[in-house]
């Protein structure tokens, strides 16, 4: 199957963020970056689909400055076949601006399946995948926890709802966004890392859409006050209940 | 001042709480101006229009069609985009629910505008719409400005509680755009869990079990504690859902549900970064874990560094007793 996987480079969340002097972004000094979690699931899902079907080609696409090439190389080292960087000075916050750029690149690609992560773990907007589908006129199933495209014609997927789930189908070609549950990404092998260096990585200018959503301010939420350990066995239960009633007032 | 349009989400013929939240948020944005709600479903869904009027809808556009019996994102997005145009909506408000998050970006793309998602608050600031949106797993708060007209926003469930503010709620029939039964994306099955059970996004209290419970069947002590509260949902860590002890949909964490209940009780949860990302914004956090050094105690307001199998049943009894008195 000819598959495209959209990938975003995001900061590692296991850190104490600081706000940049601009006040509208996090300070990137000292941050580690990696592929957004759900995008890793999408890349793995694409690999498993083509491994089962024996063949096909998977293209990783990422929008941003040249540092995203590192994330694209990681995707290639997992086993994806080629990569495209849509070069932009920065990744806009506005999902629609990004969607137009991705749609322009994906339009002529005659992909059977276009995969996204459910959302980028940093901006958390969960918007670009369905927007790209709209712009391309393709059907879209978002946030799927199970995915089956084994007949080569139809997407059969499951979506988790609040206290329920639903089963959804649509014809291929389609856009699907991947949630928890589909696949855990493999670690690149040494062989994969070596092979990735020789795989094609094309750089094209990003044709971003209009920006109407911007970040006016970023700030850190208030720190939690230090907690206390009330005891080391069930003797502490009455004190806990008292505090829940009188201090926290939640009981 | 122009109209605010709200999507009133229903499932299986029932109005969801987030529908009232979306209408309430729209009412707050509209001030003295008009709120129009859109309500879709199969025949009979219009019966819920009155509840939307009670929460501030001046007009309720009702589209009854067999094609809307289950979630129909293509037909729904077409309908909402068309309604935004015909009502001249200044803002389209949807819930950041599973269905709302599926539809909102489609509506925004049809209208060729950006989206402000998962907002915890929303207001006009001059001519722009400004909302607050937790990013980076809740470790950073972004203030987002939308200049497009209409602006499309989704509201985090629970962020704007439903508030009664009776308006006319005049029902107007709304014709579908095209044939909803001809959508390419078809929801073939809806499997509802125990509908009496509270969802993680709505429950004021969440009791979460981790690996420290040692086996799937030991979740019984967590279930019993949740039951004792009467308004609690049960969550799980990723380790637990990966092991198949609980469904993926119960996972709280960076790649699962992000929750902020009034009270969060973590039982046998070590407090991996991945998990803390999903619950750090809870109002009060209680941790029960054998390991005194577990990172969960760094974020917990109250901790008991003891054996969950001894402490939790005692806590369950104490909560029952406290509730019986109140």
């Amino acid at each position: 199957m000819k598959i495209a996987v959209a990938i975003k480079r995001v900061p590692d969340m296991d850190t104490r963020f600081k706000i940049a002097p601009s006040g509208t972004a996090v300070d990137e000094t000292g941050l580690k970056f990696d592929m957004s979690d759900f995008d890793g699931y999408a890349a793995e899902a694409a690999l498993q689909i083509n491994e089962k079907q024996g063949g096909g080609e998977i293209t990783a696409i990422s929008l941003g400055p040249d540092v995203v090439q590192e994330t694209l190389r990681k995707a290639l080292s997992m086993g994806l076949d080629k990569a495209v960087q849509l070069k932009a000075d920065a990744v806009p916050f506005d999902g629609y601006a990004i969607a137009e750029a991705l749609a322009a690149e994906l339009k002529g690609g005659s992909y059977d399946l276009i995969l996204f992560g459910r959302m980028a773990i940093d901006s958390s907007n969960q918007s670009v995948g369905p927007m790209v589908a709209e712009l391309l006129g393709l059907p879209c199933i978002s946030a799927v926890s199970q995915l089956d495209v084994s007949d080569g014609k139809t997407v059969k997927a499951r979506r988790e709802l609040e206290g329920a789930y639903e089963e959804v189908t649509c014809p291929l070609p389609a856009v699907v966004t991947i949630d928890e549950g589909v696949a855990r990404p493999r670690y690149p092998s040494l062989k994969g890392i070596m092979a990735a260096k020789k795989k094609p990585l094309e750089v094209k200018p990003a044709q971003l859409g209009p920006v109407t959503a911007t970040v006016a301010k970023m700030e850190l939420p208030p720190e939690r006050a230090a907690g206390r350990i009330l005891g080391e066995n069930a003797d502490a239960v009455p004190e806990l209940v008292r505090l829940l009633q009188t201090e926290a007032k939640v009981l | 001042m122009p109209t605010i349009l709200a999507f009133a989400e229903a499932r299986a013929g029932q109005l969801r709480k987030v529908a009232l939240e979306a209408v309430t948020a729209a009412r707050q944005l509209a001030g003295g101006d008009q709120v129009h709600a859109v309500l879709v479903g199969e025949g009979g869904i219009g019966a819920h229009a009155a509840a939307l009027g009670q929460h501030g809808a001046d007009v309720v556009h009702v589209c009854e069609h067999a094609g809307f019996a289950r979630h129909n994102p293509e037909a729904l997005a077409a309908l909402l985009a068309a309604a935004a145009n015909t009502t001249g909506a200044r803002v389209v408000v949807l819930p950041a629910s599973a269905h709302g998050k599926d539809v909102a970006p489609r509506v925004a793309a049809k209208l060729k505008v950006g989206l402000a998602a998962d907002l915890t608050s929303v207001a006009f600031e001059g001519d722009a719409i400004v909302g607050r949106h937790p990013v980076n797993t809740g470790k950073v708060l972004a203030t987002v400005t939308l200049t497009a007209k209409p602006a499309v926003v989704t509201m985090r469930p629970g962020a704007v509680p439903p508030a009664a503010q009776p308006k006319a709620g005049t029902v107007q029939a709304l014709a579908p755009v095209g044939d909803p039964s001809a959508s390419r994306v078809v929801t073939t099955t809806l499997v509802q869990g125990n509908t009496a059970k509270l969802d993680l996004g709505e429950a004021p209290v969440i009791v979460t079990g981790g690996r420290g419970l040692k086996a799937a069947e030991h979740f019984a002590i967590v279930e019993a504690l949740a039951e004792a509260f009467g308004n609690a949902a049960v969550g799980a860590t990723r380790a637990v859902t990966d092991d198949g002890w609980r469904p993926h949909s119960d996972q709280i964490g960076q790649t699962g549900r992000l929750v902020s209940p009034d009270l969060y009780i973590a039982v046998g949860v070590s407090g991996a970064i991945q998990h803390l990302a999903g619950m750090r914004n809870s109002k009060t956090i209680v941790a029960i874990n054998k390991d005194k050094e577990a990172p969960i105690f760094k974020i917990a307001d109250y901790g008991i560094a003891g054996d969950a199998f001894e402490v939790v049943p005692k806590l369950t009894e104490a909560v029952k007793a406290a509730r019986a008195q109140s």
Side-chain angles (χ1 to χ4, degrees), chain A residues 140-199:
Chain A
C140 171
I141 306 179
S142 76
V144 312
S145 60
Q146 290 176 17
L147 175 64
D148 177 6
V149 292
S150 54
D151 74 357
K153 291 180 191 134
T154 321
V155 181
K156 296 188 192 105
R158 170 171 156 155
R159 308 181 70 242
E160 305 299 326
L161 311 179
E162 300 84 0
Y165 68 88
E166 59 192 9
E167 290 164 350
V168 189
T169 67
C170 77
L172 288 169
V175 174
V176 175
T177 80
I178 306 291
D179 195 2
E180 184 80 21
V182 173
R184 282 259 178 274
R186 66 193 65 187
Y187 289 103
S189 64
L190 190 58
K191 198 175 143 209
I193 292 166
M194 298 309 289
K197 293 180 180 163
K198 293 184 189 131
K199 289 180 179 174

Side-chain angles (χ1 to χ4, degrees), chain B residues 10-73:
Chain B
R11 188 195 294 169
Q14 297 302 312
L15 207 57
R16 299 196 64 239
K17 187 178 170 202
V18 290
L20 303 179
E21 295 180 5
V23 171
T24 301
R27 184 76 261 159
Q28 289 175 3
L29 275 174
D33 295 297
Q34 294 265 302
V35 170
H36 289 222
V38 174
L39 175 62
V40 309
E42 51 186 343
I45 197 74
H48 297 296
L52 302 176
Q54 277 300 312
H55 288 81
D58 299 283
V59 179
V60 182
H61 302 271
V62 177
C63 181
E64 297 189 341
H65 192 286
F68 284 123
R70 286 189 281 269
H71 183 52
N72 187 336

